[in-house]
C-alpha cells in the first residue's frame, strides 16, 4: 500500500489521504475477488488500490477538476515522468519545443500538454479568500448552491416510493414463473441467460424469451393503468 502511494506523492495530495483512498480500493478488491479465476489476491488488490489512488488524485488535485476528458488521464499521470526523462526540471511554463517533445513521446496533442502542465503547476485558490482586498465577501459567496431544496428532495423521494410500490404490485399480479423469469432477466444484478433459465424451467430458450416479453407487457400495462386511475382519483377528490 505504502509503496504504491509513493508513486503519487508528486501530485500534491496528502500521503495519508492516498493511503485512505488505497484502503477503499482494497475493500473493493476484497468484495470482488474470485479465487476461482486463478489470479492471486495480492495482484488483484494491487490493481484496485492503484486505480483508487489514481481516481482520488484526479479528483482532488484541484478544486477545479483537473481532468476534463478521459484522454487527459494518461497525460496527467505520465507528464512528470516524461519531464524528468527529458531533463525538464522547471515547474513553470513549458516552451513550445518542450511541449512538442513531450507530446511526441506520449502521442498526445501539444496543446493538451501545455494545458495539463499549467493546471498541475497552478495553486488552488481558497474559497474563503476575500473577493478584493479590504472588502467584505468571499469567493464562496459567488458559488451557486445547486443542491435540491428540501421540498424537491421530498417530492423526488415520494415519487420514487410510489413507483416502487406500483412495480411491486405489478410483480405480484404475475404468475410465479413469469415473475421469476422477469426478475432474473430484467431486475437482477447478474442477469440470467435464456439458456440457463430454459434449463431451470425445462423449456426452450425461445419460450423463455416469450414469457419474459409477455411479463413485461403485462407489468407495463398494469403500472400504466394504476397510475392513470390514481391520477383520475386525485383529480376527482
Amino acid at each position: 500500500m505504502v509503496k504504491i502511494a509513493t508513486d503519487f506523492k508528486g501530485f500534491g495530495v496528502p500521503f495519508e489521504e492516498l493511503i485512505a483512498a488505497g484502503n477503499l480500493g482494497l475493500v473493493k478488491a476484497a468484495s470482488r475477488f474470485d479465487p476461482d479465476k486463478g489470479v492471486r489476491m495480492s495482484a488483484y488488490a494491487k490493481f484496485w488500490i492503484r486505480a483508487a489512488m489514481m481516481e482520488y488524485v484526479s479528483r482532488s488535485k484541484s478544486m477545479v477538476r483537473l481532468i476534463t476528458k478521459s484522454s487527459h488521464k494518461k497525460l496527467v499521470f505520465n507528464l512528470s515522468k516524461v519531464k524528468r526523462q527529458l531533463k525538464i526540471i522547471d515547474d513553470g511554463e513549458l516552451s513550445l519545443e518542450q511541449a512538442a517533445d513531450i507530446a511526441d513521446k506520449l502521442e498526445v496533442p501539444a496543446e493538451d500538454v501545455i494545458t495539463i502542465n499549467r493546471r498541475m503547476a497552478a495553486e488552488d485558490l481558497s474559497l474563503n479568500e476575500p473577493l478584493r482586498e479590504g472588502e467584505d465577501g468571499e469567493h464562496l459567496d459567488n458559488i451557486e448552491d445547486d443542491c435540491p431544496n428540501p421540498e424537491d428532495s421530498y417530492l423526488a423521494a415520494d415519487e420514487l416510493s410510489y413507483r416502487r410500490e406500483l412495480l411491486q404490485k405489478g410483480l405480484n399480479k404475475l404468475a410465479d414463473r413469469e415473475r421469476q423469469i422477469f426478475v432474473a432477466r430484467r431486475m437482477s444484478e447478474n442477469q440470467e441467460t435464456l439458456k440457463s433459465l430454459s434449463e431451470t424451467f425445462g423449456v426452450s430458450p425461445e419460450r423463455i424469451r416469450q414469457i419474459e416479453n409477455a411479463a413485461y407487457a403485462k407489468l407495463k400495462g398494469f403500472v400504466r393503468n394504476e397510475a392513470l386511475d390514481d391520477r383520475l382519483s386525485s383529480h376527482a377528490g
Side-chain angles (χ1 to χ4, degrees):
M1 180 85 70
V2 173
K3 185 176 184 299
I4 299 175
T6 56
D7 294 338
F8 298 92
K9 288 183 68 175
F11 292 96
V13 177
F15 195 72
E16 60 272 15
E17 293 183 13
L18 287 172
I19 296 298
N23 284 330
L24 293 177
L26 180 59
V27 171
K28 185 172 290 187
S31 66
R32 299 190 178 197
F33 180 66
D34 184 356
D36 295 333
K37 297 291 185 181
V39 179
R40 290 185 304 169
M41 176 58 185
S42 58
Y44 187 74
K46 183 178 180 181
F47 168 82
W48 281 103
I49 291 170
R50 179 174 292 277
M53 290 183 181
M54 182 178 293
E55 181 67 17
Y56 185 78
V57 169
S58 70
R59 292 181 180 276
S60 305
K61 177 62 178 71
S62 174
M63 294 177 204
V64 179
R65 187 174 174 85
L66 179 63
I67 299 176
T68 56
K69 53 183 180 179
S70 58
S71 60
H72 284 168
K73 184 165 290 190
K74 174 184 176 182
L75 177 56
V76 169
F77 291 100
N78 287 280
L79 181 58
S80 297
K81 176 181 176 182
V82 174
K83 286 173 71 174
R84 288 195 300 271
Q85 292 175 348
L86 297 176
K87 302 189 185 315
I88 301 174
I89 58 175
D90 187 5
D91 289 332
E93 186 76 12
L94 294 172
S95 68
L96 293 178
E97 183 180 356
Q98 291 171 331
D101 289 340
I102 295 173
D104 182 62
K105 198 168 185 64
L106 291 177
E107 300 180 345
V108 296
E111 294 83 358
D112 285 358
V113 173
I114 293 173
T115 297
I116 294 300
N117 184 71
R118 285 173 178 171
R119 293 183 184 181
M120 293 180 68
E123 293 186 2
D124 293 333
L125 174 67
S126 172
L127 293 177
N128 295 118
E129 288 286 334
L131 293 172
R132 291 184 179 85
E133 188 174 353
E135 294 186 8
D136 293 332
E138 303 173 344
H139 289 281
L140 183 63
D141 299 331
N142 287 339
I143 297 180
E144 182 180 355
D145 183 5
D146 58 358
C147 295
N149 60 50
E151 181 180 356
D152 289 340
S153 297
Y154 173 80
L155 291 175
D158 188 58
E159 176 66 16
L160 179 59
S161 177
Y162 172 70
R163 292 183 179 184
R164 286 176 173 170
E165 182 181 349
L166 280 184
L167 177 60
Q168 189 57 55
K169 285 182 178 179
L171 289 173
N172 292 338
K173 294 288 184 179
L174 298 176
D176 287 344
R177 186 171 67 166
E178 287 179 322
R179 182 170 57 255
Q180 291 176 45
I181 290 175
F182 181 83
V183 170
R185 292 284 297 162
R186 303 281 183 113
M187 298 180 64
S188 297
E189 184 176 347
N190 298 316
Q191 185 186 68
E192 292 277 357
T193 64
L194 294 173
K195 186 176 184 302
S196 66
L197 288 172
S198 70
E199 294 172 352
T200 299
F201 291 97
V203 296
S204 68
E206 175 60 22
R207 180 56 184 152
I208 294 295
R209 186 188 65 79
Q210 293 172 354
I211 295 173
E212 174 193 350
N213 291 339
Y216 174 72
K218 290 180 182 179
L219 187 60
K220 182 178 180 181
F222 173 82
V223 170
R224 182 179 61 246
N225 293 334
E226 283 289 303
L228 179 60
D229 288 345
D230 289 345
R231 193 175 299 115
L232 292 174
S233 298
S234 63
H235 286 320

